[in-house]
Amino acid sequence: MQLSQAFAVVLLMGLQLSEVAASCSFNQPQRHCSCSLLDQDKLGNLFQCFSASVLELRGGNLEQFAGFASISVDESVIGILKMLNVTKIVFGDLLVPEVLVAAVMKFMPYMRLTELQFDNCTFLGKASWLPMDRVILPVSSLRFHKVTSSSLADRGQDFSYLSSWLESLRDLTVTQSQVPYIPCSMGKVFRTLRYLDVSENRLQDQSMGPSFCPGAFPQLQVLKLRHNNLSSFLATCETLHQLEELGHLDLSQNGLLAVPSSSCEWQPSLRILNLSATGLEHVPRPLPPSLEVLDKLFLSNNRLRAVPSPQNYPAVEALSLDGNLISCLPRGELRALRHLQSLWAGGNLYNCSCAGACELPALASRGPLVPDWPQDYRCAAPPRHRGALLKDALAAELQCSTAGAMAPVSVLLLSCLAGTLCLAQIRAWLG
Ligand SMILES: *[C@@H]1O[C@H](CO)[C@@H](O)[C@H](O)[C@H]1NC(C)=O
Ligand SMILES: *[C@@H]1O[C@H](CO)[C@@H](O)[C@H](O)[C@H]1NC(C)=O
Ligand SMILES: *[C@@H]1O[C@H](CO)[C@@H](O)[C@H](O)[C@H]1NC(C)=O
Ligand SMILES: *[C@@H]1O[C@H](CO)[C@@H](O)[C@H](O)[C@H]1NC(C)=O
Ligand SMILES: *[C@@H]1O[C@H](CO)[C@@H](O)[C@H](O)[C@H]1NC(C)=O
């Protein structure tokens, strides 16, 4: 809404109302025009934004322009709007009366605008959205980051006038805006929403039920709930499993408690599940349907001590286990992941003793991409190797003798397969 308001200001300037000034710079190749409303040295150079496709308006208190809210859309303005190629407007660092936003919205149906973004904006007061009743805007992507407004709780009627537009919206992002929950009636309006990012807000387990009530967001494919205040993996599954088209769920950076097993089943559509940095000590169940169709599992930065049993996710294609407390990657277990194409397992506490030697090189030889090898793989034990690269420690361990005579040879072979030692060294070793 603030975006709309800033745009109203632009329009007003276009109409030669000299009260508002802006200093703009236009990046010709990118067709990006960036204006500061605070810097009033160069009056009126907003006109250089005429051919921009992205228009960014930053900085200012627009309270004094609330009176412009009564401006009406006349034919000459419509003519100008139809000529513009602006597809995205960013409103940033603004204090803006909601009535001004509502006023600017009236101009948007005549534009080619597909994206609206409000970044660090404070919306003041409440507007009536009645004039927007049954109006359809071309905007399909709406983003709010760090915004504050009056509570949405009792605004169902106000916002219902926007429903013709909102029910055609594809992407909605509301991040770092202290959102405690999404009213059920609002969620139901977003009938064709595919992407919802509500990361870094204040959603709790109790707010999941109303926010994702039956009938809300029926076509949602991507849902990002990163860094909220969710704690129950089970309750999250129970509320979200009705989203039949959900393919990507990000629960990272919530302090999750996982019950060892439960009867809740994730929808078969779920292919990407991000559980990074959720404090997990073991992998929660259920994972998406016997995990046969789970492509990507992100378990980075948790407190896992061992590789979770692959029976739970046999078809995984990408596995992130970096930043845990894992001391060894058991070869057999990882072999069971036949579809594994990439593995991140750096930043763990590897045991690099002869017997405890990790099997990562063997895995690397089997084909999957290990993008963080070798630089992120360091030894935590035994003391003689602490801090050393796993790759170097394995090479050094060739000197040690162990119970199994073949152990050093296999370590050598494994290392070689991982490309850390060359064939000549194997020949030398074998004499
Ligand atoms: C918008 O784009 C069209 C086609 O590229 C161009 O002819 C026209 O001049 C542009 N309009 C403005 C206001 O830059
Ligand atoms: C956010 O906007 C306010 C003006 O509304 C400004 O004073 C503040 O510096 C902005 N914050 C950031 C991080 O840009
Ligand atoms: C997180 O939720 C718990 C209750 O589930 C509450 O006690 C706590 O204050 C919340 N924390 C924040 C930062 O909102
Ligand atoms: C998973 O979450 C972590 C932490 O929020 C983030 O850094 C990472 O990019 C996410 N991965 C994907 C594929 O979204
Ligand atoms: C490392 O592995 C060896 C051999 O299995 C074992 O004796 C030792 O206790 C392990 N060290 C740690 C810190 O786990």
Side-chain angles (χ1 to χ4, degrees):
M1 301 185 184
Q2 239 165 343
L3 185 63
S4 313
Q5 185 159 16
F7 186 65
V9 172
V10 173
L11 285 175
L12 295 168
M13 293 186 68
L15 297 171
Q16 325 258 302
L17 299 179
S18 57
E19 285 90 337
V20 188
S23 166
C24 302
S25 65
F26 183 47
N27 178 322
Q28 179 75 38
Q30 296 185 356
R31 304 210 151 279
H32 186 124
C33 201
S34 181
C35 301
S36 163
L37 302 176
L38 290 177
D39 180 357
Q40 311 215 338
D41 290 347
K42 305 170 206 156
L43 291 188
N45 68 359
L46 195 124
F47 290 105
Q48 71 189 58
C49 299
F50 193 66
S51 60
S53 59
V54 180
L55 181 57
E56 196 173 321
L57 297 157
R58 288 200 176 265
N61 182 343
L62 305 181
E63 269 176 292
Q64 53 182 312
F65 303 111
F68 291 155
S70 58
I71 189 170
S72 62
V73 188
D74 73 34
E75 288 300 324
S76 63
V77 175
I78 293 177
I80 297 173
L81 293 177
K82 286 188 167 165
M83 277 195 293
L84 298 176
N85 289 330
V86 177
T87 56
K88 175 175 179 176
I89 304 184
V90 181
F91 292 103
D93 309 333
L94 294 171
L95 274 171
V96 58
E98 197 178 293
V99 287
L100 202 46
V101 180
V104 178
M105 287 276 197
K106 289 189 286 190
F107 296 87
M108 292 193 179
Y110 308 101
M111 302 181 66
R112 292 172 207 169
L113 213 52
T114 57
E115 280 181 70
L116 264 187
Q117 184 174 328
F118 297 90
D119 182 12
N120 182 32
C121 293
T122 302
F123 301 109
L124 306 166
K126 297 179 182 180
S128 161
W129 293 93
L130 183 59
M132 292 297 289
D133 196 17
R134 281 187 272 274
V135 173
I136 297 177
L137 299 184
V139 174
S140 62
S141 168
L142 182 58
R143 289 184 202 181
F144 300 89
H145 178 68
K146 281 174 108 164
V147 299
T148 47
S149 75
S150 55
S151 164
L152 299 183
D154 53 347
R155 316 268 322 259
Q157 183 58 44
D158 290 355
F159 286 107
S160 68
Y161 295 124
L162 292 171
S163 59
S164 299
W165 165 43
L166 295 179
E167 62 185 35
S168 67
L169 206 68
R170 290 301 187 104
D171 288 16
L172 176 64
T173 296
V174 187
T175 47
Q176 281 188 35
S177 299
Q178 311 277 324
V179 175
Y181 74 104
I182 305 163
C184 172
S185 58
M186 285 187 90
K188 287 181 178 169
V189 168
F190 294 99
R191 290 213 316 239
T192 58
L193 200 75
R194 303 286 202 274
Y195 177 103
L196 176 63
D197 186 350
V198 281
S199 297
E200 301 182 70
N201 282 298
R202 288 176 22 217
L203 297 172
Q204 304 185 11
D205 294 338
Q206 305 90 298
S207 49
M208 290 295 282
S211 303
F212 298 93
C213 64
F217 309 109
Q219 297 196 38
L220 202 62
Q221 293 171 358
V222 179
L223 175 58
K224 301 199 174 183
L225 293 164
R226 175 173 47 84
H227 205 303
N228 273 281
N229 190 10
L230 305 177
S231 61
S232 168
F233 185 74
L234 178 58
T236 306
C237 173
E238 281 169 348
T239 348
L240 298 181
H241 81 147
Q242 48 118 359
L243 297 173
E244 288 177 4
E245 298 187 24
L246 192 67
H248 181 163
L249 176 62
D250 186 350
L251 294 175
S252 65
Q253 299 182 40
N254 284 286
L256 292 181
L257 297 170
V259 288
S261 78
S262 81
S263 56
C264 176
E265 292 203 353
W266 289 100
Q267 47 278 63
S269 55
L270 196 58
R271 302 185 73 86
I272 302 177
L273 179 59
N274 195 337
L275 294 172
S276 296
T278 48
L280 294 175
E281 288 176 10
H282 53 86
V283 173
R285 310 254 195 85
L287 283 173
S290 335
L291 297 185
E292 273 162 30
V293 290
L294 186 72
D295 285 338
K296 302 189 177 81
L297 182 59
F298 299 92
L299 294 164
S300 317
N301 302 317
N302 282 298
R303 285 177 284 146
L304 304 176
R305 293 185 176 275
V307 175
S309 168
Q311 285 148 9
N312 295 329
Y313 51 96
V316 80
E317 288 177 9
L319 182 59
S320 301
L321 293 168
D322 49 302
N324 280 286
L325 307 173
I326 295 168
S327 61
C328 190
L329 295 173
R331 185 164 25 159
E333 306 236 328
L334 290 169
R335 258 205 191 133
L337 298 174
R338 298 188 185 286
H339 303 279
L340 196 63
Q341 285 170 13
S342 54
L343 172 74
W344 283 262
N348 277 292
L349 304 178
Y350 288 112
N351 183 341
C352 301
S353 71
C354 285
C358 285
E359 311 259 14
L360 187 102
L363 184 80
S365 72
R366 221 202 61 206
L369 199 64
V370 188
D372 53 352
W373 173 267
Q375 71 280 1
D376 292 346
Y377 292 76
R378 291 188 181 271
C379 308
R384 65 181 178 283
H385 290 313
R386 193 166 294 150
L389 283 180
L390 174 57
K391 148 177 113 66
D392 297 338
L394 287 177
E397 285 298 293
L398 293 175
Q399 319 307 331
C400 77
S401 74
T402 62
M406 281 311 286
V409 179
S410 61
V411 168
L412 179 56
L413 280 169
L414 295 172
S415 307
C416 185
L417 289 169
T420 57
L421 289 174
C422 66
L423 199 57
Q425 278 172 286
I426 294 188
R427 290 211 190 92
W429 167 261
L430 295 173

